[in-house]
Amino acid sequence: MGSTNMSYLNPKTVILIGIPGLEHVQFWIGFPFFSLCLVALLGNVILIIIIARERSLHQPMYIFLAVLAATDLGLCVAIAPKMLAIFWFGSYSMAFDACLTQLFFIHTLQGMESGILLAMAFDRYIAICDPLRHASILTPLFLAKMVLMVAIRTMVLVGILPILLKRLQIFQSVVIAHSYCEHMAVVKLAAEDVHINKSYGLFVAFAILGFDLIFVFISYIFIFRAVSHLPQKEARLKAFNTCTSHIVIFLEFYILAFFSFFSHRFGHVSPYMHIFLSTIYLLVPPALNPIVYGVKTTEIRNRVAEICILKHDSQ
């Protein structure tokens, strides 16, 4: 790794310090984060198995939920091993190319999650506003095309981020004040002009998160309007109840996402608070999603209860 006047030329490794300002308690912070990862892994694996085996759940909403669960598993795998290695074993160094790879997967999976939430909103829109055509519109082939489009869109847009970072050669530091490789955290290390990197990063955020957020809102405007025109109160409550799980997941994902995004670029939040909350943003939704749907969905709740009873009986 070449170094000149406190600059680094084409660094081969970077140093992730974890949560700046909280290094002395990172060992203990690792335990609640590990618990979140464990809940996310177990919850999402169980959710995927139940949806795959329960024929009554072979519906668009639950197929999208299974894809969301797989995405959440990927996020945990992408972030947790290195983060916990930093907190518990002091494994701070990371190859620069590995850092860019982690960056790509984390931001791709975030974008995938946003796209799947939009697809789920579209499913609720069709189910409530045009129920007679729901099965004919959301066919298995159409669902596969939607998931493929979400994946391709995110991979293409996010894939350019590490390419733009790779073209940078001179860095003022190799120390990343973060617990994982995040785009803007890496961009801030550069000692060159990074206007293209910042501008494109902003474009990707709005092209994915902003686009999805707008269309989710539009979907729910139509949904609420259709629900309000239902003649019976019981029918209105039943229709709205089918959306509550998605609304909860949607709100927690986007509120945490935009707080993390804007505080990193424009805010004056203390570094340790930003890093702590941005890590929470990546780990809480994967842990919370299967719990929200498990509580709200009778079939999933009953199937989990059966699994628990079978385990208890076998003992």
Side-chain angles (χ1 to χ4, degrees):
M1 182 162 42
S3 153
T4 308
N5 297 328
M6 299 303 292
S7 294
Y8 297 82
L9 179 64
N10 294 323
K12 300 298 181 184
T13 60
V14 292
I15 307 296
L16 290 158
I17 64 172
I19 305 176
L22 297 179
E23 291 91 345
H24 59 294
V25 292
Q26 282 185 162
F27 180 83
W28 303 109
I29 292 174
F31 288 100
F33 281 170
F34 173 74
S35 300
L36 280 174
C37 292
L38 198 59
V39 170
L41 290 171
L42 289 175
N44 286 294
V45 167
I46 290 171
L47 198 59
I48 291 170
I49 292 171
I50 289 173
I51 292 172
R53 296 181 64 178
E54 194 71 38
R55 293 190 64 84
S56 63
L57 296 178
H58 292 178
Q59 303 171 31
M61 189 65 173
Y62 299 108
I63 291 171
F64 287 139
L65 181 58
V67 176
L68 186 68
T71 303
D72 287 338
L73 284 175
L75 263 177
C76 288
V77 171
I79 186 176
K82 184 59 183 179
M83 179 187 68
L84 294 175
I86 293 169
F87 291 168
W88 288 346
F89 308 113
S91 178
Y92 301 112
S93 64
M94 189 177 194
F96 186 69
D97 288 340
C99 178
L100 295 184
T101 302
Q102 186 192 48
L103 179 154
F104 169 76
F105 279 107
I106 288 175
H107 291 308
T108 296
L109 291 166
Q110 285 176 303
M112 278 283 294
E113 187 156 357
S114 177
I116 295 302
L117 288 174
L118 174 59
M120 294 168 84
F122 178 71
D123 168 72
R124 291 299 85 202
Y125 164 73
I126 299 296
I128 292 172
C129 298
D130 197 1
L132 296 178
R133 299 179 60 210
H134 182 259
S136 63
I137 292 174
L138 294 173
T139 62
L141 180 60
F142 185 79
L143 297 181
K145 287 180 179 179
M146 285 186 72
V147 173
L148 189 61
M149 285 174 61
V150 167
I152 291 173
R153 176 195 69 164
T154 309
M155 291 175 67
V156 169
L157 288 173
V158 174
I160 297 174
L161 293 175
I163 293 173
L164 291 176
L165 285 169
K166 192 67 177 174
R167 74 181 180 85
L168 300 174
Q169 295 184 332
I170 304 173
F171 290 76
Q172 58 189 350
S173 174
V174 293
V175 178
I176 301 176
H178 217 304
S179 55
Y180 60 89
C181 289
E182 194 267 347
H183 177 247
M184 279 304 298
V186 179
V187 167
K188 288 179 178 180
L189 300 181
E192 302 178 43
D193 183 11
V194 291
H195 282 97
I196 293 176
N197 301 75
K198 289 182 177 180
S199 299
Y200 185 73
L202 203 61
F203 166 75
V204 170
F206 281 103
I208 297 176
L209 296 182
F211 177 88
D212 294 348
L213 180 64
I214 290 169
F215 280 92
V216 169
F217 268 123
I218 291 172
S219 296
Y220 273 104
I221 289 171
F222 285 110
I223 288 170
F224 290 145
R225 190 175 68 176
V227 169
S228 67
H229 287 123
L230 292 174
Q232 297 179 334
K233 183 180 178 181
E234 292 78 9
R236 291 197 296 271
L237 289 174
K238 184 178 180 180
F240 182 73
N241 192 51
T242 64
C243 301
T244 52
S245 298
H246 180 258
I247 291 172
V248 170
I249 290 174
F250 161 75
L251 288 176
E252 49 101 355
F253 176 81
Y254 282 101
I255 288 172
L256 289 170
F258 278 98
F259 175 82
S260 176
F261 176 78
F262 286 111
S263 66
H264 210 322
R265 286 162 174 79
F266 311 115
H268 300 286
V269 181
S270 59
Y272 77 87
M273 184 57 68
H274 166 73
I275 305 305
F276 184 80
L277 290 177
S278 65
T279 306
I280 289 289
Y281 153 60
L282 285 184
L283 295 180
V284 166
L288 192 60
N289 292 351
I291 294 172
V292 170
Y293 271 94
V295 169
K296 290 294 295 180
T297 307
T298 304
E299 293 91 339
I300 295 175
R301 190 169 62 245
N302 291 343
R303 191 66 178 144
V304 171
E306 287 175 14
I307 292 170
C308 293
I309 291 169
L310 285 173
K311 284 186 176 180
H312 181 266
D313 291 343
S314 65
Q315 291 175 352

